[in-house]
Amino acid sequence: MPNKILILFAHPLFEKSNANDALVQHIPDSPNITFHDLYQEYPDFDINMKREQELLYNHDIIVWHHPLYWYSCPPLMKQWIDIVLEHGWAYGKEGWALKGKLLLQAITTGGRRENYSSTGRDRFTITQLLEPFNQTARVCNMIYLPPFVVHGTHSMSQEGYDDHAELYAQVLKYLEDNDPELDELANFEYLNDWFKTKIS
Amino acid sequence: MENNFFFEAIIYLAAAVVCVPIAKKFGLSSILGYLFAGIIIGPYVLGLIGQEGEDIMHFAEFGVVMMLFLIGLELEPYKFWRMRRFIIGMGSMQVMFTATILFVACLIVMPWDWRSTLAISLALTLSSTAIVMQTLKEKGLTKTSMGRSSFAVLLFQDIAVIPILAILPLLADGAVPDETLNQSLISDLSGWLQGLIVFGAIAAVYIAGRFLFVPILKMVARTRLQELFTASALLLVMAVSYLMQLVGLSPALGAFMAGLVLANSEFRHELEGDIAPFKGLLLGLFFIGVGASINFHLIMADPAFIIVFCTIFNIIKFLVLLGVGKIYKKSSDQNLLFAFALSQAGEFGFVILGFASQLNIMPTILSSQMMAVIAMSMVGTPFLLLINEKWIDPYFGVKEKQPKKKFDKIDDDEENHVIIAGFGNFGSTIVRLLKTNGIPATVLDMDSDRVESLRKMGFKVYYGDASRLELLQAAGCENAKLFIAAIDNPRVNLEVAEKVKKHFPNLKVLARARNRSDAFDLVDMGIKDFYRENLYSAVHLGVDALVELGHRKYTAMRQGQRFIKYDEQSIFRLAEKRHDKTAFLMTAMEEIEMQEQLLKNDLYAQLGAQDHAWESTQLKKEASDTD
């Protein structure tokens, strides 16, 4: 049984993002992968909770795919979290709907990886900055995977975009067909790093 | 007499109605259908009509005039100016080379007098505007490079007719010029005066187009009488043609100029829509006339000569055209098409031959034979094109029609992707929003005053009744992506939406709806994108009312959003339900009944209970439970 993957994509200015254009273009065409463009579906931020919960219910791996803005996600992604991850459904005493599903965060950022360190300009690592998302996943009984990160999108050539997009596509294809080895994954900061050991 | 007229009309119409669909069925052009209709009802097969075929052709030639008027309308002066190199270059080359080669060849081979040879070669040089342009239109080739070149050459030929008709009397032996023949009002005047009058007439058409036609059309438009507008459109074309004939110019040329002058006016699409059916009918009649006038007795008397001669002159013409195309660096497939399309002789040939035989330049038998040759070549063209399309063209690369060329894109830009009907408060807001996003829209509106003022502001607005199919076609519905029905009058708006949906099933329609019952009608037509004009502002006001009463603005706005979605869904539900009832019309009682039902449903809707974002009631409860 292949894994069913739901990509929740949030970008308020998708048409001008080269990096995300490449990433989205490369998402494999598969009946098991659902691409869900939140800003296209809910331009008025009026999220249809029931529909979203149904989508979550029907997939095994959830991807939050978005650019990193001010060390967080775009507002509609947060709106989605607020509205869809309902108490009594996603968490709380009676909320077990998401139990055991995998959550992967796929983010793009203009900053370089070396800046995201205690001594760097951004003072925190990506892992540290994404803790709120990690914790949200945990509260909802989901398994939070190391994030898939594309760094340095502000100064990247088209080939760079395509290389990352190719890697993203391979990761998705891999996750569709395989259950990732979680203890092995725990040793890696980024999913990218782990996956490179897989393919080399 | 009257019976006679009815009988003849019925024969013509029936022949067309029977033959054209059959031709279409076999994938042939409608022209062939008309030609065969003519042959069948003509004197040599059924004999339903006699020798009057030629008379009918003279009358029906007016279809060619109208066609040129329409071509002028579509062309716009600046584009015409851009084509000048092709018109003069390609046109003159074709006419001179073809005429010279035909002349020399006939002089060597045929035992004819040099004068009749010259007249014949000139007559055969001119191609048939009617057949070529109609074929191009049917095949959708008018905007390709081949279409433009063909048009350029044809236009030059139309102009060339004038000097040719002027030269012919000089060929005559001097004794016989027939005063009554084809003489214009001014032919007695001296040469320079004639020239002056001719230029004066052309200037008059131009000035009248600018300062007379448009105000008159505006006045007529204000009466809002459709048939009066049609009448004035016809009057316009006829008057200009008559004027041109008076000064000895070709009426087709005059009509073309009138069209050109009006191409930039707001009435362009409306005029196109009005004239097009007349043009179509008259051209059909013209082709029937050509078919009926083919003299089979003459052909049968010496079939070998006629067929061989016809073939040879076609080949010569074809080769010359091919050469001209080569000089202008056409791609092979375009060039072949161009050469095949123009290789026949045309209606002007009849005129020249008739004139020549009246001037005694050639014997009547010879001119009749040549007329048969011309008619045969006209009949042959559609077949030649078919052969080219099926067997020859496939060997030569890709067709140019595919997008990707910059050249074609210029023309594509002419046609907007969005067509909007109605420029009232509703439509104008839409157009402004689109315009601020850099998207031009073609606007159709019935109010000629408004049309004029908006045009001054640079909007692309056309005057016309958008519920007429011809206007929709003229406005470019075939190729548009989006049609917005935003007319103030709800009845008309529904009619327009229905027409578009029916005739252009691939065109997406966004429709304005006055109220719920309009929306039901739209749902029945299969239009899912309707916008009730009062829903959004009413909900907006309601939201503000909630805010006035102390609700937080964001919560009130979310309630408004939900209400709109809920109400939109209820439309689809009720639209289906409505058909359970026998009566389709909504009576006032039913309207009230429906309102009641809506209000009742609202009680159960519990819009607020859909999600619990940011609410902590449950969380608090759970916290206190565990404590």
Side-chain angles (χ1 to χ4, degrees):
Chain A
M1 269 282 278
N3 286 316
K4 299 197 81 112
I5 303 175
L6 173 65
I7 300 168
L8 295 161
F9 175 71
H11 198 305
L13 201 60
F14 183 32
E15 64 270 38
K16 297 212 170 147
S17 166
N18 295 323
N20 280 291
D21 181 52
L23 289 175
V24 170
Q25 290 279 347
H26 279 75
I27 291 173
D29 205 6
S30 155
N32 300 312
I33 300 179
T34 310
F35 177 72
H36 194 52
D37 185 347
L38 291 180
Y39 272 93
Q40 193 73 0
E41 297 290 332
Y42 304 112
D44 53 3
F45 276 53
D46 190 19
I47 290 166
N48 185 339
M49 181 199 70
K50 284 274 172 271
R51 176 179 173 217
E52 293 302 307
Q53 290 184 347
E54 210 155 297
L55 273 171
L56 289 173
Y57 186 80
N58 289 325
H59 290 82
D60 311 305
I61 302 175
I62 315 301
V63 182
W64 286 342
H65 177 164
H66 61 84
L68 195 67
Y69 289 152
W70 287 114
Y71 309 106
S72 185
C73 62
L76 184 55
M77 187 83 243
K78 180 63 167 61
Q79 180 96 344
W80 183 95
I81 290 172
D82 284 1
I83 287 178
V84 181
L85 302 180
E86 195 190 23
H87 177 252
W89 184 81
Y91 71 101
K93 240 178 14 195
E94 284 148 39
W96 299 97
L98 301 172
K99 184 173 165 47
K101 291 187 193 291
L102 302 186
L103 187 84
L104 170 66
Q105 212 160 0
I107 61 172
T108 57
T109 168
R112 282 200 294 273
R113 190 167 182 169
E114 52 269 32
N115 293 344
Y116 288 91
S117 70
S118 57
T119 52
R121 203 163 42 188
D122 297 299
R123 289 182 50 231
F124 297 98
T125 65
I126 290 286
T127 313
Q128 287 168 333
L129 291 168
L130 294 181
E131 272 314 333
F133 297 96
N134 187 343
Q135 180 57 20
T136 302
R138 271 160 206 274
V139 171
C140 295
N141 310 300
M142 291 195 279
I143 300 157
Y144 187 83
L145 303 177
F148 179 90
V149 188
V150 181
H151 275 291
T153 56
H154 291 336
S155 50
M156 195 179 271
S157 66
Q158 188 57 46
E159 282 141 48
Y161 295 134
D162 289 339
D163 288 347
H164 284 93
E166 193 55 52
L167 188 68
Y168 186 46
Q170 288 175 346
V171 165
L172 291 171
K173 201 80 202 121
Y174 182 85
L175 291 177
E176 181 188 349
D177 298 327
N178 309 282
D179 289 320
E181 304 79 357
L182 294 174
D183 17 322
E184 194 185 314
L185 259 171
N187 301 321
F188 291 92
E189 194 188 5
Y190 292 170
L191 195 82
N192 316 40
D193 304 337
W194 164 76
F195 196 70
K196 277 174 188 157
T197 68
K198 283 265 140 197
I199 49 177
S200 60
Chain B
M1 186 68 203
E2 253 176 48
N3 273 340
N4 219 344
F5 168 74
F6 268 116
F7 181 64
E8 271 185 24
I10 286 170
I11 286 173
Y12 280 106
L13 292 172
V17 169
V18 171
C19 292
V20 175
I22 291 176
K24 278 272 164 196
K25 184 110 192 154
F26 286 107
L28 305 171
S29 82
S30 67
I31 298 170
L32 271 182
Y34 284 120
L35 287 170
F36 279 112
I39 292 174
I40 289 168
I41 62 174
Y44 304 98
V45 182
L46 293 182
L48 289 175
I49 52 170
Q51 291 291 4
E52 69 267 26
E54 275 175 51
D55 298 334
I56 289 202
M57 259 166 65
H58 285 307
F59 169 65
E61 260 167 34
F62 202 63
V64 181
V65 171
M66 287 181 167
M67 183 166 68
L68 274 150
F69 178 70
L70 290 177
I71 292 170
L73 267 184
E74 283 171 22
L75 201 60
E76 296 190 20
Y78 80 95
K79 270 207 219 158
F80 178 58
W81 186 241
R82 265 197 338 213
M83 281 175 65
R84 64 195 185 281
R85 196 167 67 90
F86 295 102
I87 296 172
I88 294 172
M90 292 184 103
S92 63
M93 265 199 260
Q94 188 270 339
V95 170
M96 281 191 312
F97 289 159
T98 314
T100 315
I101 294 173
L102 280 174
F103 178 64
V104 173
C106 291
L107 213 54
I108 296 170
V109 181
M110 291 301 183
W112 300 332
D113 172 63
W114 72 271
R115 281 180 285 260
S116 38
T117 312
L118 182 59
I120 287 170
S121 34
L122 284 173
L124 295 183
T125 297
L126 306 178
S127 310
S128 167
T129 310
I131 285 190
V132 179
M133 289 315 288
Q134 189 71 12
T135 312
L136 293 184
K137 193 123 213 167
E138 269 183 29
K139 293 190 188 293
L141 293 172
T142 38
K143 293 208 166 159
T144 61
S145 107
M146 170 270 169
R148 278 186 286 256
S149 314
S150 307
F151 175 68
V153 171
L154 288 169
L155 200 65
F156 183 86
Q157 293 177 352
D158 276 357
I159 300 169
V161 176
I162 303 153
I164 290 176
L165 287 178
I167 291 169
L168 282 185
L170 305 179
L171 292 178
D173 291 334
V176 276
D178 187 343
E179 291 295 332
T180 59
L181 231 180
N182 204 50
Q183 300 292 37
S184 60
L185 260 189
I186 55 168
S187 49
D188 291 338
L189 302 174
S190 64
W192 67 272
L193 204 55
Q194 278 189 33
L196 208 63
I197 290 174
V198 166
F199 277 110
I202 293 174
V205 170
Y206 178 77
I207 291 168
R210 276 281 148 93
F211 303 107
L212 189 66
F213 297 164
V214 173
I216 289 177
L217 287 174
K218 253 177 217 158
M219 214 170 66
V220 173
R222 262 186 224 119
T223 66
R224 308 229 162 184
L225 290 172
Q226 185 69 58
E227 66 278 10
L228 198 62
F229 197 91
T230 311
S232 30
L234 282 175
L235 175 66
L236 178 80
V237 178
M238 288 189 173
V240 171
S241 314
Y242 185 62
L243 174 73
M244 287 295 139
Q245 234 163 355
L246 280 186
V247 301
L249 286 180
S250 126
L253 194 67
F256 172 72
M257 276 174 43
L260 210 56
V261 174
L262 288 170
N264 275 338
S265 85
E266 63 266 42
F267 296 106
R268 173 179 159 194
H269 286 184
E270 180 77 359
L271 283 170
E272 266 183 78
D274 272 333
I275 298 288
F278 290 100
K279 176 212 79 171
L281 264 182
L282 283 176
L283 272 187
L285 197 56
F286 173 75
F287 295 130
I288 291 180
V290 173
S293 65
I294 295 179
N295 190 332
F296 283 95
H297 289 318
L298 215 62
I299 296 178
M300 284 311 154
D302 194 355
F305 164 68
I306 302 243
I307 290 169
V308 169
F309 188 83
C310 186
T311 315
I312 288 174
F313 110 79
N314 257 322
I315 290 172
I316 290 176
K317 236 178 143 172
F318 174 81
L319 291 176
V320 170
L321 285 162
L322 213 55
V324 171
K326 262 269 154 344
I327 292 172
Y328 278 81
K329 298 199 172 68
K330 300 214 146 306
S331 65
S332 327
D333 62 325
Q334 289 284 305
N335 199 10
L336 270 176
L337 197 55
F338 168 69
F340 271 120
L342 290 169
S343 65
Q344 78 295 91
E347 50 276 9
F348 285 121
F350 294 123
V351 177
I352 292 171
L353 289 173
F355 190 37
S357 72
Q358 270 161 325
L359 289 170
N360 280 340
I361 295 175
M362 63 175 82
T364 322
I365 292 282
L366 185 58
S367 95
S368 304
Q369 276 181 327
M370 283 303 124
M371 285 197 190
V373 166
I374 292 176
M376 268 190 50
S377 76
M378 285 166 90
V379 175
T381 305
F383 285 112
L384 285 179
L385 287 173
L386 206 65
I387 290 168
N388 177 47
E389 195 176 300
K390 288 259 151 66
W391 290 296
I392 302 176
D393 194 46
Y395 287 104
F396 290 92
V398 281
K399 300 212 171 177
E400 206 197 21
K401 266 193 327 194
Q402 308 304 329
K404 77 179 174 243
K405 300 221 160 106
K406 282 227 169 78
F407 196 31
D408 278 329
K409 216 173 160 232
I410 296 168
D411 279 14
D412 286 345
D413 285 349
E414 286 291 298
E415 287 196 356
N416 292 327
H417 291 317
V418 183
I419 297 169
I420 177 166
F423 204 95
N425 288 327
F426 199 91
S428 61
T429 310
I430 300 167
V431 172
R432 278 171 50 213
L433 176 62
L434 292 178
K435 197 172 172 141
T436 51
N437 282 284
I439 294 171
T442 298
V443 181
L444 311 172
D445 196 271
M446 262 302 253
D447 185 333
S448 61
D449 290 334
R450 189 156 67 199
V451 167
E452 186 194 6
S453 82
L454 285 165
R455 277 177 58 83
K456 279 189 191 139
M457 286 153 61
F459 286 98
K460 194 164 183 179
V461 192
Y462 290 101
Y463 166 79
D465 174 1
S467 63
R468 298 181 59 221
L469 183 60
E470 297 93 341
L471 186 75
L472 291 171
Q473 276 165 342
C477 277
E478 297 280 1
N479 301 317
K481 286 186 179 149
L482 204 57
F483 186 91
I484 300 172
I487 296 167
D488 287 329
N489 182 331
R491 278 266 291 282
V492 178
N493 201 46
L494 285 176
E495 211 178 297
V496 170
E498 186 167 27
K499 197 147 250 176
V500 172
K501 191 82 194 158
K502 188 173 153 206
H503 293 280
F504 310 98
N506 296 324
L507 183 56
K508 173 121 182 157
V509 179
L510 307 181
R512 166 188 186 178
R514 182 192 40 175
N515 54 24
R516 196 169 286 120
S517 77
D518 278 4
F520 288 148
D521 288 339
L522 288 166
V523 172
D524 287 350
M525 288 172 205
I527 295 172
K528 292 214 166 63
D529 304 276
F530 51 82
Y531 302 84
R532 277 176 290 157
E533 52 196 64
N534 43 31
L535 174 69
Y536 306 97
S537 40
V539 169
H540 205 112
L541 192 151
V543 166
D544 283 354
L546 286 174
V547 171
E548 287 297 323
L549 295 171
H551 283 66
R552 291 276 302 167
K553 284 189 179 175
Y554 185 63
T555 308
M557 189 211 65
R558 296 232 299 152
Q559 287 299 321
Q561 281 180 333
R562 281 175 202 156
F563 185 84
I564 287 173
K565 280 190 186 142
Y566 156 75
D567 200 61
E568 276 169 354
Q569 281 163 8
S570 73
I571 286 282
F572 288 106
R573 264 203 321 276
L574 292 172
E576 265 173 47
K577 219 176 201 175
R578 197 169 64 120
H579 288 294
D580 299 343
K581 309 198 172 177
T582 39
F584 267 28
L585 268 177
M586 289 271 276
T587 63
M589 273 310 286
E590 281 173 323
E591 188 82 56
I592 292 167
E593 203 180 297
M594 185 158 288
Q595 285 287 1
E596 265 174 31
Q597 204 176 352
L598 280 171
L599 288 168
K600 227 187 278 168
N601 288 347
D602 290 351
L603 292 178
Y604 299 109
Q606 291 180 304
L607 291 177
Q610 278 268 329
D611 61 56
H612 307 280
W614 311 297
E615 274 179 32
S616 54
T617 348
Q618 280 202 29
L619 284 170
K620 281 177 189 152
K621 192 166 161 281
E622 198 171 300
S624 63
D625 284 352
T626 40
D627 282 346

